[in-house]
Amino acid sequence: MAVQLHTPEGMFQPVPYHHVATGTGTRHVHVAGQIARDADGRSIAPGDLAGQVEQALRNVARGLAGAGAGFADVIRLRFFVTQWHPDRYGDLLAGIDRVADELGLPQPWPPVSLIGVEILFEPDVLVEIEAYAVLD
């Protein structure tokens, strides 16, 4: 397998992700930030962070699949969330949980960052998700 995920002893736990990922493949896949839009550009789940996380992750999965990859190949995820506050964490996790089995999201996740931002792409966009994968 091209990706090995682990958390060395002494690193902060519990968290729902691994702190370290090692990629040994020769093909690198970068999926640009995905938002809650369908193939026709229509907004999905306006005002609903959990619903937008679901759609953005589905779009990430499509991008990965288009390059012959899946979430098992992901070495890093990056979430950008507008107007972030810890009170929104439950909605973020709910969106992830709703599609975890459908998309084959590993548990724990690969290394992940959540970055709070003022605004994204357009005012109705609450979340954008990027992925980086490595393939043999």
Side-chain angles (χ1 to χ4, degrees), residues 18 54 56 83 110 118 131:
H18 286 286
E54 288 179 63
Q83 309 284 321
E118 184 65 27

Side-chain angles (χ1 to χ4, degrees), residues 79-85 88 114-121 125-128:
F79 288 70
F80 297 91
V81 182
T82 62
Q83 309 284 321
W84 177 252
H85 188 276
R88 299 179 80 192
L114 187 152
I115 302 163
V117 297
E118 184 65 27
I119 192 167
L120 289 163
F121 186 64
V125 176
L126 303 178
V127 66
E128 178 177 301

Side-chain angles (χ1 to χ4, degrees), residues 32-71:
Q34 296 299 300
I35 60 174
R37 297 281 194 267
D38 67 13
D40 294 320
R42 288 183 295 254
S43 180
I44 304 298
D48 175 10
L49 179 59
Q52 287 198 18
V53 167
E54 288 179 63
Q55 182 65 32
L57 283 169
R58 285 184 178 112
N59 290 342
V60 169
R62 286 183 189 98
L64 290 167
F71 277 100

Side-chain angles (χ1 to χ4, degrees), residues 73-95:
D73 303 303
V74 170
I75 196 166
R76 180 159 190 50
L77 287 169
R78 192 171 288 133
F79 288 70
F80 297 91
V81 182
T82 62
Q83 309 284 321
W84 177 252
H85 188 276
D87 291 346
R88 299 179 80 192
Y89 190 64
D91 290 334
L92 180 88
L93 290 180

